[in-house]
Amino acid sequence: SPGQATTRMTIQEKHYNGVNITHGGAIFTLADFAFAVACNSYGTLAVAINVNISFLKATSKGVLTAKAREVAKSNRLATYQIEVTDEEGTIVASFQGTCYRMQQPLPLEGKVTPPSTAGGR
């Protein structure tokens, strides 16, 4: 629903780091994907401008779930809190992100054309 999203990932060996636990990058990607879906859930293009993650518990098996919820929203900025939990509901990671809302609709297909930088760098 608008301002919210849920993503899931089944942990596999390809998600392990060098000490055979779930790599922080895999957990970050799961949380970041929930963040992106929630940011763009209004049909307006939004991009991340700041994110932060804290890893709270190691995992190595099962399904992780990332739930994003909107904390604050204005015309240009929105902030989201994402909690990543294991199958028992224990918080594995806490992610906070702020996005910039670009005031242009999401494209129906294909890629977004970046704004003009005429006279810029």
Side-chain angles (χ1 to χ4, degrees), residues 5-65:
T6 301
T7 57
R8 289 186 179 81
M9 174 181 75
T10 301
I11 299 170
Q12 301 174 20
E13 283 189 31
K14 66 183 178 181
H15 299 123
Y16 289 174
N17 62 15
V19 294
N20 294 322
I21 60 174
T22 309
H23 195 291
I27 297 169
F28 180 94
T29 299
L30 178 67
D32 188 51
F33 186 57
F35 170 55
V37 173
C39 288
N40 288 282
S41 65
Y42 293 97
T44 303
L45 182 62
V47 294
I49 60 171
N50 186 53
V51 297
N52 182 27
I53 192 166
S54 295
F55 300 104
L56 306 173
K57 179 187 173 200
T59 63
S60 60
K61 62 182 178 178
V63 176
L64 297 179
T65 301

Side-chain angles (χ1 to χ4, degrees), residues 40-109:
N40 288 282
S41 65
Y42 293 97
T44 303
L45 182 62
V47 294
I49 60 171
N50 186 53
V51 297
N52 182 27
I53 192 166
S54 295
F55 300 104
L56 306 173
K57 179 187 173 200
T59 63
S60 60
K61 62 182 178 178
V63 176
L64 297 179
T65 301
K67 289 187 178 182
R69 67 178 174 84
E70 191 171 77
V71 175
K73 178 177 156 269
S74 68
N75 286 339
R76 294 288 182 179
L77 298 175
T79 301
Y80 294 82
Q81 180 65 41
I82 297 86
E83 287 187 349
V84 179
T85 57
D86 62 15
E87 291 174 302
E88 287 77 43
T90 304
I91 299 174
V92 171
S94 179
F95 177 111
Q96 183 181 14
T98 301
C99 66
Y100 178 76
R101 300 167 47 84
M102 297 181 67
Q103 304 301 309
Q104 73 182 78
L106 286 173
L108 296 178
E109 293 182 14

